[in-house]
Amino acid sequence: MDSHSSSGKMGISQIALFCMCAVIVLETLTASASIGPSGLFWWGITLIFFIVPYSLITSELGTAYPAEGGIYDWIRRAFGARMSTRAVYLYWLAGGLWMPAGYILFAGMFARVFMPELSLMGQVGIVLVMSWLTIAFINFKTSVGIWLTVSGAIFKITVIMILGIAGFYHLFMHGPANEFSLQTMLPSASSGIGFLAVIVYNLVGLELVACMGKELRNPVRDMPRAILLASLAIAFLYVFGSMGILMAIPLENLNLVSGIVDALGPLLGEGSPLIILVCVFFMLSIVGNQVTWAMAPSRAAAEAAREGELPAFIGRWHPKNNTPYWANRILGIVSTVITLVYAWFAQGDNANMFWSIFSFSSACIIISYLLFFASFIKLRISDPSTPRPFKVPGGMPVAISCSLLCMAFIFMCAMLFIFPDLPKGMIDWNHSGPILVGVIIVLAVGDIIIRRAEKAHSKLSYSATASEQEQVYTQ
């Protein structure tokens, strides 16, 4: 693909909205707000020391290596095929692991507004239906998926703006629902700090747009500008939305699943048409988010399968729609299995079900980012001759600092997802044990799949070479 222009349709605005849809996660906005007023301190630290270097790194890699594989291509160039496939496997599979968590909130919101008596099993049914509708959307046409992501970003912006405005209205009319003082805003090892990992997770996803390489109109020119624009908007919206929730809801009353509706209810009146509209926008934004996190990683996984590093059937593309339909279908199967397993464990508590699935899927995907940020430095050292239309300023010292900062945040995030009570010097094995075992199983199964795919590809390549040699000999 020409690094300067292509036949793609995504310009600066579409790229920025795609990034915003990928990064802004309304599903976890209440979880990050549950840190309390001290969360504002952590938001500031994370935005300065994580999102800024992350944006710079993504812009350099995306413009230096504009390819369909995105993160797969970058890690492959840096560390070889097997390491890149391990990262992409986690990156891709996490879409199926995360899908149930997103749609649990979708179902919880639907029940909260339209069917308050809906049972957990009824909500599980909604999760399964929405998961397969998502797969149908992204298998149909890439343009449909892009349209859904752009729409999802608009819905997210609308919900956050309404939430923030409502929260500050509550502040001016009734005062803040939580105490905002120097003491409460300073970081502590309270129980809420376990959700600090959510802040970091809420900010990853900028690199997803690089997986859409062929759909970008002019990646070299547009990607750095779009990522900068998206990063600034994301930072503002997250802080504004979190403040809105904290202004309206006391921390002890904050619910991870219905927190946004709880914040608007006292202000606008239960059953208000505006609340219903916000809930519908929220649910539609979840669809956009799931489409983004399924569509882009599936393309990276299909690219790995084409290279013989994942089973060949994963790399099959629809002949008419030009979508990686088998990679997408597998995400639907994974989502179905995870939904049913966690529904059995949840025992009627959708908030517990959400948090368990979220922690598990997030721990899996966040690990792949360690290789992503490490590949940036490796490519700077091993491949200095490749033109870099956009380059992280400051030379190697700044580049290394950016990479190490991001890796430190990612490592901290992974540890807190698995062991959320670690800052208090405790480990709740009832919570952490299943997540840790699940992550180990996912990694082990992935390694088995990758090694078998490599062997199968090697045999196929050997057979093809032998056949060609035989043809030459007979001639």
Side-chain angles (χ1 to χ4, degrees):
M1 184 181 72
D2 182 358
S3 64
H4 295 288
S5 64
S6 76
S7 58
K9 300 178 180 179
M10 296 177 70
I12 291 178
S13 59
Q14 290 91 344
I15 294 172
L17 288 170
F18 187 99
C19 291
M20 292 173 70
C21 189
V23 175
I24 297 174
V25 186
L26 286 182
E27 297 93 311
T28 58
L29 189 60
T30 51
S32 59
S34 67
I35 301 173
S38 65
L40 297 178
F41 171 87
W42 291 114
W43 272 111
I45 292 294
T46 308
L47 290 170
I48 294 170
F49 294 104
F50 180 71
I51 196 66
V52 171
Y54 174 31
S55 301
L56 293 173
I57 288 171
T58 302
S59 295
E60 177 170 324
L61 290 174
T63 53
Y65 307 99
E68 191 76 11
I71 187 173
Y72 164 75
D73 182 61
W74 305 334
I75 298 174
R76 180 186 173 89
R77 289 172 182 268
F79 299 113
R82 183 172 293 175
M83 291 302 288
S84 68
T85 308
R86 285 170 176 159
V88 167
Y89 163 78
L90 287 173
Y91 196 67
W92 165 60
L93 191 65
L97 299 175
W98 162 243
M99 198 176 292
Y103 283 133
I104 286 165
L105 264 76
F106 181 101
M109 187 70 69
F110 179 86
R112 173 76 164 74
V113 176
F114 300 108
M115 298 180 66
E117 302 301 321
L118 186 65
S119 66
L120 178 65
M121 292 313 298
Q123 294 181 42
V124 166
I126 292 176
V127 172
L128 295 177
V129 169
M130 292 307 303
S131 294
W132 284 104
L133 275 177
T134 299
I135 301 305
F137 287 144
I138 61 178
N139 268 340
F140 181 53
K141 283 185 179 179
T142 301
S143 58
V144 173
I146 293 173
W147 179 83
L148 285 170
T149 61
V150 171
S151 300
I154 295 171
F155 290 137
K156 289 179 181 185
I157 293 169
T158 303
V159 170
I160 290 179
M161 291 304 295
I162 292 174
L163 185 65
I165 291 170
F168 279 91
Y169 175 80
H170 185 280
L171 168 68
F172 294 130
M173 297 300 295
H174 308 288
N178 296 284
E179 179 186 353
F180 284 82
S181 64
L182 181 61
Q183 183 177 359
T184 60
M185 294 179 69
L186 288 176
S188 68
S190 63
S191 59
I193 202 171
F195 291 118
L196 175 60
V198 180
I199 291 180
V200 177
Y201 181 83
N202 280 351
L203 293 170
V204 299
L206 289 174
E207 77 295 333
L208 274 175
V209 73
C211 296
M212 307 297 294
K214 294 178 182 178
E215 305 299 327
L216 306 185
R217 187 179 305 152
N218 192 324
V220 168
R221 182 198 65 192
D222 296 343
M223 192 179 294
R225 299 177 186 177
I227 288 177
L228 175 62
L229 177 63
S231 299
L232 294 174
I234 288 163
F236 168 75
L237 289 169
Y238 266 140
V239 173
F240 190 60
S242 296
M243 286 287 290
I245 292 175
L246 291 172
M247 293 298 177
I249 310 176
L251 280 176
E252 60 271 17
N253 297 335
L254 188 60
N255 184 286
L256 293 182
V257 174
S258 60
I260 290 180
V261 179
D262 294 339
L264 295 175
L267 301 175
L268 305 175
E270 294 292 342
S272 164
L274 185 55
I275 288 185
I276 295 174
L277 181 64
V278 169
C279 290
V280 170
F281 280 4
F282 183 97
M283 290 187 286
L284 291 174
S285 76
I286 291 175
V287 176
N289 194 59
Q290 297 305 322
V291 166
T292 306
W293 279 95
M295 180 172 63
S298 285
R299 299 173 84 90
E303 199 71 17
R306 281 179 170 181
E307 298 294 329
E309 291 145 15
L310 284 175
F313 71 92
I314 295 176
R316 293 177 185 169
W317 287 66
H318 196 283
K320 181 180 178 181
N321 298 334
N322 194 31
T323 55
Y325 67 102
W326 260 108
N328 293 333
R329 286 177 182 174
I330 291 172
L331 294 186
I333 294 170
V334 170
S335 177
T336 299
V337 172
I338 294 297
T339 299
L340 296 177
V341 169
Y342 273 95
W344 183 55
F345 281 110
Q347 299 178 346
D349 185 352
N350 62 352
N352 180 58
M353 184 177 173
F354 165 78
W355 185 246
S356 296
I357 297 178
F358 173 71
S359 298
F360 174 47
S361 62
S362 301
C364 288
I365 193 172
I366 213 73
I367 293 171
S368 66
Y369 280 87
L370 290 172
L371 287 170
F372 163 54
F373 290 119
S375 68
F376 166 66
I377 287 299
K378 177 64 166 55
L379 289 171
R380 268 287 190 101
I381 296 170
S382 63
D383 189 24
S385 60
T386 294
R388 286 167 166 78
F390 176 89
K391 198 170 185 178
V392 175
M396 282 299 292
V398 174
I400 292 173
S401 298
C402 287
S403 182
L404 292 178
L405 273 172
C406 290
M407 291 176 71
F409 271 94
I410 291 299
F411 179 78
M412 175 274 299
C413 186
M415 292 297 293
L416 285 177
F417 274 130
I418 300 173
F419 305 108
D421 296 319
L422 204 57
K424 297 185 292 184
M426 298 168 51
I427 295 178
D428 180 3
W429 286 107
N430 290 328
H431 172 81
S432 300
I435 295 174
L436 180 61
V437 170
V439 171
I440 292 172
I441 290 173
V442 166
L443 292 173
V445 170
D447 232 48
I448 293 171
I449 291 172
I450 291 167
R451 290 176 185 272
R452 287 187 175 180
E454 288 174 346
K455 287 181 180 179
H457 182 70
S458 179
K459 287 180 181 179
L460 187 64
S461 299
Y462 176 79
S463 299
T465 302
S467 176
E468 289 173 2
Q469 290 176 346
E470 184 177 350
Q471 288 177 7
V472 171
Y473 178 76
T474 56
Q475 290 173 355

